[in-house]
């Protein structure tokens, strides 16, 4: 059964406590936190804390599942862009590249680290976990390209050190003030971040 964000936070607390007790190094904590937020089911939690004290969250009983299924559906978000559970909350590329496009969920806080590598993020068919998301980028001798659709507001506030954050979304018509927001922050060191606005199907 798929796990919830609340379950992931419960396991994250177990990992942080283990690190504060000296059972995990900071490197091990970071690796396990990344594996935790990539976990999709309750079974995926087991390898993360199997050698640590603490309880793995259990899936709800079948009775709870039946009650949930029969309960009225919650009201939908006013924006079809908002909703969904991300499969990962961070990405790191070193001497390589990564692409995210098509139907995917942008986490409320998404970390991208590109070292001598590149990342291409296409948000035109994506949904957002929340009405306001932040993409935090660390580009070191690397580059990150981000394409956003016309119906998302964009805020670019990154620092360049022998690098730059280029925001081309300010040209042309802007979305409504109540539209979901994508905030792009971070640092580019001998690297670059380029943000463009394109319609679906536009090359």
């Amino acid at each position: 059964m798929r796990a919830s964000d609340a379950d992931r936070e419960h396991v994250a607390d177990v990992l942080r406590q283990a690190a504060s007790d000296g059972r995990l190094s900071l490197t091990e904590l970071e690796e396990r936190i990344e594996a935790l937020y990539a976990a999709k089911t309750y079974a995926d939690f087991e390898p993360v804390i199997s050698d640590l004290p603490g309880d793995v969250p259990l899936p709800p009983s079948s009775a709870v599942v039946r009650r949930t299924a029969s309960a009225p559906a919650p009201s939908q978000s006013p924006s079809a862009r908002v909703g969904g559970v991300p499969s990962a909350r961070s990405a790191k590329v070193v001497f390589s590249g990564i692409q995210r496009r098509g139907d995917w969920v942008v986490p409320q806080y998404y970390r991208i680290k590109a070292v001598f590598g590149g990342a291409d993020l296409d948000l035109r068919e994506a949904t957002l976990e929340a009405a306001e998301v932040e993409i935090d980028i660390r580009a070191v001798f690397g580059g990150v390209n981000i394409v956003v659709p016309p119906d998302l507001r964009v805020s670019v506030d990154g620092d360049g050190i022998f690098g730059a954050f280029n925001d081309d979304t300010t040209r042309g018509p802007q979305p409504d003030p109540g539209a979901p927001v994508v905030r792009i922050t971070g640092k580019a060191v001998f690297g670059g971040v380029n943000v463009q606005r394109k319609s679906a199907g536009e090359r």
Side-chain angles (χ1 to χ4, degrees):
M1 184 175 292
R2 286 182 174 268
S4 69
D5 286 341
D7 296 322
R8 294 185 184 88
E9 289 302 323
H10 174 80
V11 178
D13 289 339
V14 173
L15 294 175
R16 296 187 190 102
Q17 184 61 46
S20 66
D21 294 340
R23 292 186 171 91
L24 292 177
S25 67
L26 292 179
T27 300
E28 290 173 321
L29 175 62
E30 181 179 356
E31 291 173 349
R32 296 197 186 198
I33 287 289
E34 288 188 7
L36 167 64
Y37 284 121
K40 296 181 180 179
T41 66
Y42 288 93
D44 294 334
F45 290 160
E46 183 65 31
V48 178
I49 61 172
S50 59
D51 57 346
L52 300 173
D55 297 327
V56 177
L58 297 176
S61 68
S62 58
V64 172
V65 173
R66 284 196 298 271
R67 287 199 301 269
T68 302
S70 60
S75 58
Q76 296 296 315
S77 166
S79 173
R81 284 282 179 189
V82 180
V85 178
S87 59
R89 298 184 181 272
S90 65
K92 180 166 63 176
V93 291
V94 181
F95 289 101
S96 61
I98 185 175
Q99 288 186 341
R100 296 302 305 268
R101 59 182 57 183
D103 184 9
W104 64 292
V105 180
V106 183
Q108 186 171 5
Y109 182 70
Y110 194 30
R111 294 181 299 166
I112 301 288
K113 187 173 183 180
V115 182
F116 290 98
D120 291 314
L121 308 179
D122 191 335
L123 278 57
R124 287 178 290 182
E125 298 179 31
T127 55
L128 312 182
E129 183 181 23
E132 181 174 320
V133 301
E134 180 179 346
I135 301 176
D136 182 67
I137 299 169
R138 296 292 185 270
V140 182
F141 290 97
V144 177
N145 295 313
I146 301 175
V147 177
V148 297
D151 60 333
L152 293 182
R153 289 192 294 151
V154 179
S155 171
V156 179
D157 185 20
D159 298 323
I161 303 175
F162 294 102
F165 276 70
N166 297 318
D167 181 11
D168 292 334
T169 64
T170 56
R171 305 174 183 175
Q174 298 296 304
D176 296 333
V181 181
V182 177
R183 300 192 182 279
I184 299 170
T185 62
K187 289 185 178 180
V189 182
F190 290 99
V193 177
N194 188 45
V195 186
Q196 297 175 302
R197 189 186 302 280
K198 295 183 179 180
S199 302
E202 184 178 353
R203 294 180 61 85

